[in-house]
Amino acid sequence: MRHFLKETDFSRAEAAEILALARHFKQRRGGHEQPLAGQTWAMIFAKSSTRTRVSFEVGIHELGGNPLFLNTNDIQIGRGETIADTAKVLARFVHGLVVRTYAQADVEELAAHGGLPVVNALTDFLHPCQIYTDVFTAAERWAGPSGDLLASLAGRKVAFLGDTGFNMANSWILGSALFGLKVSLGGPAGAAPGPEIRALAAQAGGSFHFTSDPYEAVAGADLVYTDVWTSMGQESEAAERRQRLLPFQVTAKLFAAAEPDALFMHCLPAHAGEEVTQAVLDHPRCVIFDEAENRLHVQKAILAMLARHRA
Ligand code: CP
Ligand code: NVA
C-alpha cells in the first residue's frame, strides 16, 4: 500500500512520472483513462479549503471515481472517535482517503491503520500536493509543451519569503530535495526551519539556505514564492506576525531583484498588502491562477499513481 504523506514518499523517478502524467491529463482533459472507475474516495477535512477541496472533488470525478466529502465536525472524529477506528471503518466502505488536518502524526496514523491509500491534503507540517503542483507549473513554463519537465528544473533556484517555520516552507525544503532544485528561505532571524524538517531533507540528500536578508534570498532566483503570514490555526498570533514578517513582504522592488524572467507564485489564498503587494499579484510573470488550475491535473496524477499501487 502506497501513501502520499510527504514529498519524498515518491522516488524521483516516480515524481517525474507524476509530472508527465499531469501534463497528459491536462492535455487530454475530458478524454483520458479513468483509473478510479467504480471507486469512492473519502475526503476528511478538519480545516477550510477552496482549491484543495474543489480540485480533488472534480479530479476524483474526472478519473471515474466518486468523491465523498466529510467535514470532521460532521463525523464522529469531532466527538472523540479515534483516528485508528475511523480509518478501519472507512476502509470497509471506500478505496482511499484525502485528508486535511493539523498534525502530521494524524495522517501517518490513518495511513498506518486503515489499509487504504492516504493523501496528505495539508497538515501544519507539509502541503505536498501543493509543491508537486508548483514544480509542475514552473516546469511547464521552463520546458514548453513537449520538453522534458524534470530536466527543465536543473540548476533552478526557488526563493521562499515570509513564514519560514510552517507547512509551505517545509514542503519547499523537501520538494527541492526531491526535484533537485536549490532553495533559499528568507525569514526572521530565529525562524530557521527546525530539526525535524532538516533531518528529512538530509535523508533525501537535500540542503537549503536560510537568511534573514530578503534580498539575499531572492538573488539569482528563478521562482519567488510566498504564503500567508497567518496560517490556519494561528489566528490569535496575526498582529504579531504582521509586524515580524513585514520585512519579507514580496514587493515589486524585491521581485525585481530576482532573475529578470523569474516567476512569482503563491499557494493562495493571498492577502494583498500583507505577504505580497497587489503590484506583484498583477505582474505578467505572476502565475498564481495557472498554479491553482494545475492542482487538478497534478492531483489526478498522484491519485492515478496510488490507485496503480493499491494492493
Ligand atoms: N492552496 C490551497 O491549498 O488552497 P485551499 O486552502 O483553498 O485548499
Ligand atoms: N500556510 C497556509 C497554507 C494554505 C494553503 C495554511 O496552512 O493556512
Side-chain angles (χ1 to χ4, degrees), residues 35-54:
L36 301 193
Q39 299 189 9
T40 295
W41 281 59
M43 299 169 53
I44 304 176
F45 277 48
K47 292 178 176 174
S48 304
S49 173
T50 299
R51 282 143 288 270
T52 309
R53 177 179 175 173
V54 175

Side-chain angles (χ1 to χ4, degrees), residues 31 76 123 161 163 276 289:
Q76 297 286 10
T123 62
L161 281 304
D163 185 2
V276 58
F289 297 112

Side-chain angles (χ1 to χ4, degrees), residues 46-260:
K47 292 178 176 174
S48 304
S49 173
T50 299
R51 282 143 288 270
T52 309
R53 177 179 175 173
V54 175
S55 56
F56 267 110
E57 288 204 32
V58 172
I60 291 167
H61 178 75
E62 290 185 1
L63 293 175
N66 173 44
L68 178 66
F69 184 79
L70 301 168
N71 184 311
T72 47
N73 293 326
D74 300 334
I75 59 175
Q76 297 286 10
I77 281 185
R79 300 182 64 250
E81 186 167 22
T82 65
I83 289 173
D85 281 1
T86 304
K88 287 175 192 160
V89 170
L90 288 174
R92 303 295 177 104
F93 302 126
V94 305
H95 301 84
L97 300 178
V98 176
V99 184
R100 168 168 285 202
T101 191
Y102 294 86
Q104 181 75 11
D106 287 352
V107 291
E108 284 166 5
E109 200 183 336
L110 277 167
H113 291 284
L116 286 172
V118 177
V119 176
N120 177 357
L122 180 145
T123 62
D124 289 352
F125 188 56
L126 293 171
H127 195 3
C129 293
Q130 182 72 55
I131 288 300
Y132 273 50
T133 302
D134 299 337
V135 169
F136 174 75
T137 305
E140 68 174 355
R141 293 261 169 162
W142 294 334
S146 55
D148 184 325
L149 293 167
L150 193 66
S152 78
L153 304 172
R156 301 283 185 168
K157 175 180 166 180
V158 180
F160 179 93
L161 281 304
D163 185 2
T164 44
F166 211 60
N167 46 21
M168 286 311 309
N170 288 343
S171 270
W172 267 116
I173 291 171
L174 267 198
S176 299
L178 178 71
F179 288 103
L181 294 155
K182 289 178 256 181
V183 64
S184 185
L185 298 116
E196 204 178 343
I197 193 67
R198 278 176 194 275
L200 280 175
Q203 261 172 35
S207 61
F208 62 90
H209 171 247
F210 175 80
T211 172
S212 53
D213 176 353
Y215 284 88
E216 182 186 327
V218 301
D222 301 288
L223 170 58
V224 175
Y225 200 100
T226 191
D227 181 20
V228 292
W229 287 343
T230 301
S231 286
M232 291 180 277
Q234 301 174 329
E235 289 75 10
S236 64
E237 303 167 12
E240 180 269 325
R241 287 174 161 272
R242 266 197 297 275
Q243 196 179 8
R244 191 158 51 92
L245 295 171
L246 188 60
F248 304 94
Q249 182 184 62
V250 181
T251 59
K253 185 174 167 221
L254 184 61
F255 185 42
E259 285 296 289

Side-chain angles (χ1 to χ4, degrees), residues 23-46:
R23 180 194 255 166
H24 166 77
F25 285 142
K26 186 169 184 174
Q27 290 173 348
R28 301 282 175 87
R29 192 171 177 199
H32 55 64
E33 331 53 55
Q34 296 198 310
L36 301 193
Q39 299 189 9
T40 295
W41 281 59
M43 299 169 53
I44 304 176
F45 277 48

